[in-house]
Amino acid sequence: MIRQRILIADDTPASLSLISNVLEPRGYEILAVSNGRDALQLAPKAKPDLILLDVMMPGQDGFMVCRELKAADETRNIPVIFVTSRNEIESVVRGFQVGAVDYIYKPFQAQEVVTRVATHLKLSLLTRELQQRNDELEQEILKRREAEQARDKAAQRLSSLATREAQRWGLGGFVGESPHLRRILEDINRLQQFGKTSVLITGESGTGKELVARAVHHHSPRADGPFVAVNCVAVPGELAESLFFGHLKGSFTGATNDRKGYFELADGGTLFLDEIGDMPATLQAKLLRVLEDGQVTPVGGTKPRKVDVRVVSATNANLQDKIASGDFRQDLYFRLARYSVHTPPLRERSEDLSLLSSHFLSLFAGEMGMTAPSLSREALAVLGNYAFPGNVRELKNVIERALILSGGETIRKEHLQLLEPSGDRPAPHRPAVNISTSEGIPFNLEEAEQVLIQRALEQTGGNVAEAARLLDVNRSRIYRRFPHLAKG
């Protein structure tokens, strides 16, 4: 236990000895000096808890010493008790004016000295603790004020980002005048007041299903909440449950800390499940349960957590065929397709082709810092005669490449790099993919599939949709072999 330290300044040796003999047996550490000058020099170094100061001393009297002690930062808060034989009102008042907290009159009783010293040491300790607490509270207030300011700035940035997101994914992102597009916009408007209704978006690859999903989110009461997009094809089967529902630390090898799953990350907002038709059957059952009770249980946990999530899903597969073959649960389909939106292929909305092309030209030209060029009549005719198997996504890529090839000049038909022949443009020469050849194909079925998919991707320049067409398989099969393509 730390001993409390008391500094005594008195020019009378008998008084010094008497006070020391009274206080030392009580466990106090005593420092004694015989004049004010020594007291002023020792106090800042020793930092006593209390000072007993004789009023009448040669050189500097007690009042002068006390005044200097209270003027210095190091000693300002040390309590001072005057020791004096002058029981005069004027002296007492003056002592309190210069900063003393009490008086002890000579001749004094030992018990009086002990009681007054103990009382003021306790008051001083309480005062210091209170001051320390006040300092901590001030620091806490300062931190909270800084946190509030940071939160306000973050909210402003978030608001700005949300505004830009809404502009990017809002109805303005839908370009065209076709009846198909008007129907999609009407569907999105109808859903504005139904923030909990699950939505299933169907359509071929590249038709803008995610754009529709984001527009549904940004035009709903959940617009301020998160939008979490998940490609079900790219989810590893062994990690699917952890990724969707989260896990607790130590629940499996590699789980070094707790982690929220997609549902908790999307709490208060929208979870977009792309390629829902390729979700594993075991995960379908668990997804159905979450949709029914609104609760998720993390891997390694026993207590479910409530989540408020709207699920918007999309697929380019025929879910009715998958239901018939047993690959997709019918009860899950009914939960997901409470409202359905179909995105038509670009070949069915040819009247939007010119507007979309001009839109993408302006978009990419702005990103490249150039004035958007025009499309020549011949180039527009070539585009109009092209089937666009990759739909709007393919058109976007074609326009971006054409802008680069043209160097910002008018887009001509020779700037258009298309995969299939159009009505007035010969197809670029491509050696046929000989899928049936056994040359270089291993006898191992797994390895053979890997080689064939790789060849098809090389043949189509990395276009997954075109490679799937050549192989006559669903593109999800390619994504399973090359999951990094799904992330692109």
Short mmCIF file of all heavy atoms in Angstrom, two decimals, residues 60-115:
data_model
loop_
_atom_site.label_atom_id
_atom_site.label_comp_id
_atom_site.label_asym_id
_atom_site.label_seq_id
_atom_site.Cartn_x
_atom_site.Cartn_y
_atom_site.Cartn_z
N GLN A 60 10.04 34.33 3.81
CA GLN A 60 8.70 34.26 3.24
C GLN A 60 7.75 33.63 4.27
O GLN A 60 7.96 32.51 4.73
CB GLN A 60 8.72 33.40 1.97
CG GLN A 60 9.50 34.01 0.80
CD GLN A 60 9.57 33.07 -0.38
OE1 GLN A 60 10.18 32.00 -0.28
NE2 GLN A 60 8.96 33.46 -1.49
N ASP A 61 6.70 34.38 4.62
CA ASP A 61 5.76 33.82 5.60
C ASP A 61 4.85 32.80 4.90
O ASP A 61 4.91 32.59 3.69
CB ASP A 61 4.96 34.92 6.28
CG ASP A 61 4.08 35.69 5.32
OD1 ASP A 61 3.82 35.20 4.21
OD2 ASP A 61 3.65 36.81 5.68
N GLY A 62 4.00 32.18 5.71
CA GLY A 62 3.14 31.12 5.18
C GLY A 62 2.19 31.59 4.09
O GLY A 62 1.92 30.84 3.14
N PHE A 63 1.68 32.86 4.23
CA PHE A 63 0.77 33.37 3.20
C PHE A 63 1.45 33.48 1.84
O PHE A 63 0.89 33.11 0.81
CB PHE A 63 0.20 34.73 3.62
CG PHE A 63 -0.58 34.69 4.91
CD1 PHE A 63 -0.29 35.56 5.95
CD2 PHE A 63 -1.61 33.77 5.07
CE1 PHE A 63 -1.01 35.53 7.12
CE2 PHE A 63 -2.34 33.73 6.26
CZ PHE A 63 -2.04 34.61 7.29
N MET A 64 2.67 33.99 1.82
CA MET A 64 3.42 34.13 0.57
C MET A 64 3.73 32.76 -0.04
O MET A 64 3.61 32.57 -1.25
CB MET A 64 4.73 34.89 0.83
CG MET A 64 4.52 36.33 1.31
SD MET A 64 6.08 37.13 1.78
CE MET A 64 6.94 37.13 0.21
N VAL A 65 4.14 31.83 0.82
CA VAL A 65 4.45 30.49 0.33
C VAL A 65 3.20 29.83 -0.27
O VAL A 65 3.23 29.23 -1.35
CB VAL A 65 5.03 29.62 1.45
CG1 VAL A 65 5.20 28.18 0.98
CG2 VAL A 65 6.36 30.18 1.94
N CYS A 66 2.07 29.94 0.43
CA CYS A 66 0.82 29.33 -0.04
C CYS A 66 0.40 29.94 -1.38
O CYS A 66 -0.03 29.23 -2.30
CB CYS A 66 -0.28 29.53 1.00
SG CYS A 66 -1.83 28.67 0.57
N ARG A 67 0.56 31.26 -1.50
CA ARG A 67 0.19 31.93 -2.74
C ARG A 67 1.01 31.39 -3.92
O ARG A 67 0.49 31.13 -5.01
CB ARG A 67 0.37 33.44 -2.59
CG ARG A 67 -0.19 34.22 -3.78
CD ARG A 67 0.00 35.72 -3.60
NE ARG A 67 -0.84 36.24 -2.51
CZ ARG A 67 -0.39 36.66 -1.34
NH1 ARG A 67 0.91 36.63 -1.08
NH2 ARG A 67 -1.23 37.10 -0.43
N GLU A 68 2.32 31.18 -3.70
CA GLU A 68 3.18 30.66 -4.78
C GLU A 68 2.86 29.20 -5.09
O GLU A 68 2.92 28.77 -6.25
CB GLU A 68 4.65 30.81 -4.40
CG GLU A 68 5.14 32.25 -4.39
CD GLU A 68 6.65 32.34 -4.31
OE1 GLU A 68 7.34 31.47 -4.89
OE2 GLU A 68 7.14 33.28 -3.67
N LEU A 69 2.55 28.44 -4.04
CA LEU A 69 2.18 27.05 -4.28
C LEU A 69 0.93 26.96 -5.15
O LEU A 69 0.83 26.11 -6.06
CB LEU A 69 1.93 26.33 -2.95
CG LEU A 69 3.15 26.02 -2.09
CD1 LEU A 69 2.72 25.52 -0.71
CD2 LEU A 69 4.06 24.98 -2.76
N LYS A 70 -0.05 27.82 -4.90
CA LYS A 70 -1.30 27.79 -5.66
C LYS A 70 -1.15 28.37 -7.06
O LYS A 70 -1.98 28.12 -7.94
CB LYS A 70 -2.40 28.53 -4.90
CG LYS A 70 -2.77 27.90 -3.57
CD LYS A 70 -3.25 26.47 -3.77
CE LYS A 70 -3.51 25.74 -2.46
NZ LYS A 70 -3.94 24.35 -2.67
N ALA A 71 -0.08 29.11 -7.28
CA ALA A 71 0.15 29.69 -8.61
C ALA A 71 0.87 28.73 -9.54
O ALA A 71 0.88 28.93 -10.76
CB ALA A 71 0.95 30.99 -8.48
N ALA A 72 1.50 27.69 -9.00
CA ALA A 72 2.27 26.75 -9.82
C ALA A 72 1.41 25.54 -10.20
O ALA A 72 0.66 25.02 -9.37
CB ALA A 72 3.51 26.28 -9.06
N ASP A 73 1.51 25.09 -11.46
CA ASP A 73 0.71 23.96 -11.93
C ASP A 73 1.01 22.69 -11.15
O ASP A 73 0.10 21.89 -10.88
CB ASP A 73 0.99 23.72 -13.42
CG ASP A 73 0.45 24.84 -14.30
OD1 ASP A 73 -0.48 25.54 -13.85
OD2 ASP A 73 0.96 25.01 -15.42
N GLU A 74 2.28 22.49 -10.78
CA GLU A 74 2.66 21.23 -10.12
C GLU A 74 2.08 21.10 -8.72
O GLU A 74 1.88 19.99 -8.22
CB GLU A 74 4.19 21.10 -10.04
CG GLU A 74 4.90 21.11 -11.39
CD GLU A 74 5.30 22.53 -11.79
OE1 GLU A 74 4.67 23.48 -11.29
OE2 GLU A 74 6.23 22.67 -12.61
N THR A 75 1.81 22.23 -8.04
CA THR A 75 1.40 22.19 -6.63
C THR A 75 0.04 22.82 -6.38
O THR A 75 -0.40 22.90 -5.23
CB THR A 75 2.45 22.91 -5.77
OG1 THR A 75 2.64 24.26 -6.27
CG2 THR A 75 3.79 22.18 -5.81
N ARG A 76 -0.63 23.25 -7.45
CA ARG A 76 -1.88 24.00 -7.28
C ARG A 76 -2.94 23.20 -6.53
O ARG A 76 -3.70 23.76 -5.72
CB ARG A 76 -2.41 24.41 -8.66
CG ARG A 76 -3.75 25.15 -8.59
CD ARG A 76 -4.22 25.59 -9.97
NE ARG A 76 -3.31 26.58 -10.52
CZ ARG A 76 -2.60 26.43 -11.63
NH1 ARG A 76 -2.70 25.29 -12.30
NH2 ARG A 76 -1.80 27.36 -12.07
N ASN A 77 -3.01 21.91 -6.75
CA ASN A 77 -4.10 21.11 -6.19
C ASN A 77 -3.75 20.43 -4.87
O ASN A 77 -4.55 19.64 -4.36
CB ASN A 77 -4.53 20.06 -7.21
CG ASN A 77 -5.12 20.68 -8.47
OD1 ASN A 77 -5.86 21.67 -8.39
ND2 ASN A 77 -4.79 20.12 -9.63
N ILE A 78 -2.56 20.70 -4.33
CA ILE A 78 -2.19 20.10 -3.04
C ILE A 78 -2.87 20.90 -1.92
O ILE A 78 -2.69 22.12 -1.82
CB ILE A 78 -0.67 20.11 -2.83
CG1 ILE A 78 0.02 19.33 -3.97
CG2 ILE A 78 -0.30 19.51 -1.47
CD1 ILE A 78 1.54 19.42 -3.92
N PRO A 79 -3.66 20.26 -1.05
CA PRO A 79 -4.31 21.01 0.03
C PRO A 79 -3.29 21.51 1.06
O PRO A 79 -2.32 20.82 1.38
CB PRO A 79 -5.25 19.96 0.65
CG PRO A 79 -4.68 18.65 0.28
CD PRO A 79 -4.02 18.84 -1.05
N VAL A 80 -3.52 22.75 1.54
CA VAL A 80 -2.63 23.40 2.53
C VAL A 80 -3.42 23.69 3.80
O VAL A 80 -4.50 24.28 3.74
CB VAL A 80 -2.04 24.71 1.96
CG1 VAL A 80 -1.22 25.42 3.04
CG2 VAL A 80 -1.19 24.42 0.72
N ILE A 81 -2.85 23.24 4.95
CA ILE A 81 -3.43 23.57 6.26
C ILE A 81 -2.43 24.46 6.99
O ILE A 81 -1.25 24.11 7.11
CB ILE A 81 -3.69 22.30 7.09
CG1 ILE A 81 -4.71 21.39 6.38
CG2 ILE A 81 -4.20 22.66 8.49
CD1 ILE A 81 -4.98 20.07 7.11
N PHE A 82 -2.90 25.62 7.42
CA PHE A 82 -2.03 26.51 8.18
C PHE A 82 -1.94 26.08 9.64
O PHE A 82 -2.93 25.63 10.22
CB PHE A 82 -2.54 27.95 8.12
CG PHE A 82 -2.15 28.67 6.85
CD1 PHE A 82 -3.10 29.30 6.06
CD2 PHE A 82 -0.81 28.75 6.47
CE1 PHE A 82 -2.73 29.97 4.92
CE2 PHE A 82 -0.45 29.42 5.32
CZ PHE A 82 -1.40 30.04 4.53
N VAL A 83 -0.72 26.21 10.19
CA VAL A 83 -0.47 25.97 11.62
C VAL A 83 -0.05 27.31 12.22
O VAL A 83 0.94 27.92 11.78
CB VAL A 83 0.64 24.93 11.83
CG1 VAL A 83 0.89 24.72 13.32
CG2 VAL A 83 0.26 23.61 11.15
N THR A 84 -0.81 27.79 13.18
CA THR A 84 -0.52 29.12 13.71
C THR A 84 -0.96 29.25 15.16
O THR A 84 -1.84 28.53 15.62
CB THR A 84 -1.25 30.20 12.87
OG1 THR A 84 -0.94 31.49 13.37
CG2 THR A 84 -2.76 30.00 12.91
N SER A 85 -0.31 30.20 15.86
CA SER A 85 -0.70 30.52 17.24
C SER A 85 -1.57 31.76 17.29
O SER A 85 -2.02 32.17 18.36
CB SER A 85 0.56 30.73 18.11
OG SER A 85 1.35 31.77 17.56
N ARG A 86 -1.83 32.37 16.11
CA ARG A 86 -2.61 33.62 16.04
C ARG A 86 -4.06 33.28 15.70
O ARG A 86 -4.40 32.97 14.57
CB ARG A 86 -2.03 34.54 14.97
CG ARG A 86 -0.58 34.95 15.26
CD ARG A 86 0.00 35.72 14.10
NE ARG A 86 -0.77 36.92 13.81
CZ ARG A 86 -0.52 37.74 12.77
NH1 ARG A 86 0.48 37.45 11.94
NH2 ARG A 86 -1.26 38.82 12.58
N ASN A 87 -4.89 33.33 16.70
CA ASN A 87 -6.31 33.04 16.52
C ASN A 87 -7.04 34.35 16.24
O ASN A 87 -7.76 34.88 17.08
CB ASN A 87 -6.87 32.34 17.75
CG ASN A 87 -8.29 31.84 17.53
OD1 ASN A 87 -8.85 32.00 16.44
ND2 ASN A 87 -8.86 31.24 18.56
N GLU A 88 -6.81 34.89 15.04
CA GLU A 88 -7.40 36.17 14.67
C GLU A 88 -8.22 36.00 13.40
O GLU A 88 -7.82 35.30 12.47
CB GLU A 88 -6.30 37.21 14.41
CG GLU A 88 -5.42 37.47 15.63
CD GLU A 88 -4.25 38.39 15.29
OE1 GLU A 88 -4.10 38.69 14.07
OE2 GLU A 88 -3.52 38.76 16.20
N ILE A 89 -9.38 36.67 13.38
CA ILE A 89 -10.28 36.54 12.23
C ILE A 89 -9.60 36.98 10.94
O ILE A 89 -9.71 36.34 9.90
CB ILE A 89 -11.56 37.36 12.46
CG1 ILE A 89 -12.36 36.78 13.65
CG2 ILE A 89 -12.43 37.35 11.20
CD1 ILE A 89 -12.83 35.37 13.43
N GLU A 90 -8.86 38.13 11.02
CA GLU A 90 -8.21 38.65 9.82
C GLU A 90 -7.21 37.63 9.25
O GLU A 90 -7.10 37.45 8.05
CB GLU A 90 -7.48 39.96 10.11
CG GLU A 90 -8.39 41.12 10.49
CD GLU A 90 -8.84 41.08 11.94
OE1 GLU A 90 -8.40 40.13 12.67
OE2 GLU A 90 -9.64 41.93 12.36
N SER A 91 -6.48 36.97 10.14
CA SER A 91 -5.49 35.98 9.70
C SER A 91 -6.17 34.77 9.05
O SER A 91 -5.71 34.26 8.03
CB SER A 91 -4.66 35.52 10.90
OG SER A 91 -3.74 34.52 10.50
N VAL A 92 -7.28 34.34 9.65
CA VAL A 92 -8.01 33.19 9.09
C VAL A 92 -8.55 33.53 7.70
O VAL A 92 -8.41 32.75 6.74
CB VAL A 92 -9.15 32.79 10.03
CG1 VAL A 92 -10.04 31.73 9.36
CG2 VAL A 92 -8.62 32.27 11.35
N VAL A 93 -9.16 34.71 7.58
CA VAL A 93 -9.73 35.12 6.29
C VAL A 93 -8.64 35.21 5.23
O VAL A 93 -8.78 34.74 4.09
CB VAL A 93 -10.46 36.47 6.42
CG1 VAL A 93 -10.85 36.98 5.04
CG2 VAL A 93 -11.68 36.31 7.30
N ARG A 94 -7.50 35.81 5.60
CA ARG A 94 -6.41 35.95 4.65
C ARG A 94 -5.89 34.58 4.21
O ARG A 94 -5.55 34.36 3.04
CB ARG A 94 -5.29 36.76 5.28
CG ARG A 94 -4.17 37.08 4.29
CD ARG A 94 -3.08 37.87 4.95
NE ARG A 94 -1.96 38.10 4.02
CZ ARG A 94 -0.80 38.61 4.37
NH1 ARG A 94 -0.56 38.93 5.66
NH2 ARG A 94 0.15 38.79 3.48
N GLY A 95 -5.83 33.65 5.16
CA GLY A 95 -5.36 32.30 4.83
C GLY A 95 -6.26 31.62 3.80
O GLY A 95 -5.79 30.98 2.85
N PHE A 96 -7.58 31.75 4.00
CA PHE A 96 -8.49 31.16 3.02
C PHE A 96 -8.41 31.88 1.67
O PHE A 96 -8.57 31.25 0.62
CB PHE A 96 -9.92 31.19 3.56
CG PHE A 96 -10.18 30.18 4.65
CD1 PHE A 96 -10.73 30.56 5.86
CD2 PHE A 96 -9.85 28.84 4.47
CE1 PHE A 96 -10.97 29.63 6.87
CE2 PHE A 96 -10.08 27.91 5.47
CZ PHE A 96 -10.64 28.30 6.67
N GLN A 97 -8.13 33.16 1.70
CA GLN A 97 -8.02 33.93 0.46
C GLN A 97 -6.85 33.48 -0.40
O GLN A 97 -6.93 33.46 -1.63
CB GLN A 97 -7.91 35.42 0.76
CG GLN A 97 -9.21 36.05 1.25
CD GLN A 97 -9.04 37.51 1.64
OE1 GLN A 97 -7.91 37.97 1.90
NE2 GLN A 97 -10.15 38.23 1.69
N VAL A 98 -5.74 33.08 0.24
CA VAL A 98 -4.58 32.66 -0.53
C VAL A 98 -4.64 31.18 -0.90
O VAL A 98 -3.74 30.68 -1.58
CB VAL A 98 -3.26 32.96 0.23
CG1 VAL A 98 -3.10 34.45 0.44
CG2 VAL A 98 -3.21 32.19 1.55
N GLY A 99 -5.66 30.45 -0.43
CA GLY A 99 -5.84 29.08 -0.89
C GLY A 99 -5.81 27.99 0.14
O GLY A 99 -5.86 26.80 -0.23
N ALA A 100 -5.71 28.29 1.43
CA ALA A 100 -5.67 27.25 2.45
C ALA A 100 -7.05 26.60 2.59
O ALA A 100 -8.08 27.19 2.23
CB ALA A 100 -5.24 27.82 3.77
N VAL A 101 -7.06 25.35 3.12
CA VAL A 101 -8.32 24.64 3.31
C VAL A 101 -8.71 24.56 4.78
O VAL A 101 -9.87 24.24 5.09
CB VAL A 101 -8.25 23.22 2.72
CG1 VAL A 101 -8.05 23.27 1.21
CG2 VAL A 101 -7.14 22.40 3.39
N ASP A 102 -7.74 24.85 5.71
CA ASP A 102 -8.09 24.71 7.13
C ASP A 102 -6.98 25.34 7.98
O ASP A 102 -5.92 25.72 7.46
CB ASP A 102 -8.25 23.23 7.49
CG ASP A 102 -9.15 23.03 8.71
OD1 ASP A 102 -9.49 24.04 9.37
OD2 ASP A 102 -9.49 21.86 8.99
N TYR A 103 -7.24 25.43 9.28
CA TYR A 103 -6.29 25.96 10.27
C TYR A 103 -6.17 24.98 11.42
O TYR A 103 -7.15 24.34 11.80
CB TYR A 103 -6.78 27.29 10.82
CG TYR A 103 -6.26 28.51 10.10
CD1 TYR A 103 -6.92 29.00 8.98
CD2 TYR A 103 -5.13 29.17 10.55
CE1 TYR A 103 -6.46 30.13 8.31
CE2 TYR A 103 -4.66 30.30 9.90
CZ TYR A 103 -5.32 30.77 8.78
OH TYR A 103 -4.85 31.89 8.13
N ILE A 104 -4.94 24.88 11.98
CA ILE A 104 -4.71 24.18 13.24
C ILE A 104 -4.01 25.19 14.16
O ILE A 104 -2.97 25.75 13.79
CB ILE A 104 -3.83 22.93 13.07
CG1 ILE A 104 -4.52 21.91 12.16
CG2 ILE A 104 -3.51 22.30 14.41
CD1 ILE A 104 -3.67 20.69 11.87
N TYR A 105 -4.59 25.39 15.34
CA TYR A 105 -4.05 26.40 16.24
C TYR A 105 -3.13 25.75 17.28
O TYR A 105 -3.37 24.65 17.77
CB TYR A 105 -5.20 27.13 16.95
CG TYR A 105 -6.05 27.94 15.99
CD1 TYR A 105 -7.31 27.47 15.62
CD2 TYR A 105 -5.59 29.15 15.49
CE1 TYR A 105 -8.09 28.19 14.75
CE2 TYR A 105 -6.37 29.88 14.62
CZ TYR A 105 -7.62 29.41 14.25
OH TYR A 105 -8.39 30.13 13.37
N LYS A 106 -2.05 26.48 17.56
CA LYS A 106 -1.13 26.08 18.63
C LYS A 106 -1.61 26.68 19.95
O LYS A 106 -2.11 27.82 19.95
CB LYS A 106 0.27 26.59 18.35
CG LYS A 106 0.92 26.08 17.06
CD LYS A 106 2.30 26.71 16.87
CE LYS A 106 2.94 26.30 15.57
NZ LYS A 106 4.26 26.94 15.38
N PRO A 107 -1.42 26.00 21.01
CA PRO A 107 -0.98 24.60 21.14
C PRO A 107 -2.12 23.67 20.70
O PRO A 107 -3.28 23.95 20.92
CB PRO A 107 -0.67 24.43 22.61
CG PRO A 107 -1.56 25.41 23.29
CD PRO A 107 -1.72 26.58 22.36
N PHE A 108 -1.78 22.59 20.03
CA PHE A 108 -2.82 21.73 19.46
C PHE A 108 -2.81 20.37 20.13
O PHE A 108 -1.82 19.96 20.74
CB PHE A 108 -2.63 21.56 17.95
CG PHE A 108 -1.20 21.34 17.56
CD1 PHE A 108 -0.55 20.12 17.81
CD2 PHE A 108 -0.47 22.36 16.96
CE1 PHE A 108 0.75 19.93 17.45
CE2 PHE A 108 0.85 22.15 16.61
CZ PHE A 108 1.48 20.95 16.83
N GLN A 109 -3.95 19.73 19.99
CA GLN A 109 -4.11 18.38 20.51
C GLN A 109 -3.78 17.37 19.41
O GLN A 109 -4.07 17.58 18.24
CB GLN A 109 -5.55 18.15 21.00
CG GLN A 109 -5.98 19.08 22.11
CD GLN A 109 -5.18 18.81 23.39
OE1 GLN A 109 -4.89 17.66 23.73
NE2 GLN A 109 -4.83 19.88 24.09
N ALA A 110 -3.15 16.26 19.80
CA ALA A 110 -2.73 15.27 18.82
C ALA A 110 -3.93 14.75 18.01
O ALA A 110 -3.87 14.59 16.78
CB ALA A 110 -2.02 14.11 19.52
N GLN A 111 -5.04 14.50 18.70
CA GLN A 111 -6.20 13.95 18.01
C GLN A 111 -6.78 14.92 17.00
O GLN A 111 -7.26 14.54 15.93
CB GLN A 111 -7.29 13.55 19.03
CG GLN A 111 -8.44 12.75 18.42
CD GLN A 111 -7.96 11.48 17.73
OE1 GLN A 111 -7.12 10.76 18.28
NE2 GLN A 111 -8.47 11.22 16.53
N GLU A 112 -6.70 16.21 17.32
CA GLU A 112 -7.19 17.23 16.39
C GLU A 112 -6.36 17.23 15.11
O GLU A 112 -6.90 17.29 14.00
CB GLU A 112 -7.14 18.62 17.04
CG GLU A 112 -7.61 19.73 16.11
CD GLU A 112 -7.41 21.12 16.71
OE1 GLU A 112 -6.75 21.22 17.76
OE2 GLU A 112 -7.88 22.07 16.10
N VAL A 113 -5.01 17.16 15.29
CA VAL A 113 -4.14 17.13 14.12
C VAL A 113 -4.45 15.91 13.25
O VAL A 113 -4.60 16.01 12.02
CB VAL A 113 -2.66 17.11 14.56
CG1 VAL A 113 -1.76 16.91 13.34
CG2 VAL A 113 -2.31 18.38 15.31
N VAL A 114 -4.57 14.73 13.88
CA VAL A 114 -4.84 13.49 13.14
C VAL A 114 -6.17 13.58 12.40
O VAL A 114 -6.28 13.21 11.21
CB VAL A 114 -4.83 12.29 14.10
CG1 VAL A 114 -5.33 11.04 13.39
CG2 VAL A 114 -3.44 12.06 14.67
N THR A 115 -7.19 14.09 13.09
CA THR A 115 -8.52 14.16 12.48
C THR A 115 -8.56 15.11 11.30
O THR A 115 -9.09 14.79 10.22
CB THR A 115 -9.55 14.59 13.53
OG1 THR A 115 -9.55 13.65 14.62
CG2 THR A 115 -10.94 14.65 12.92
#
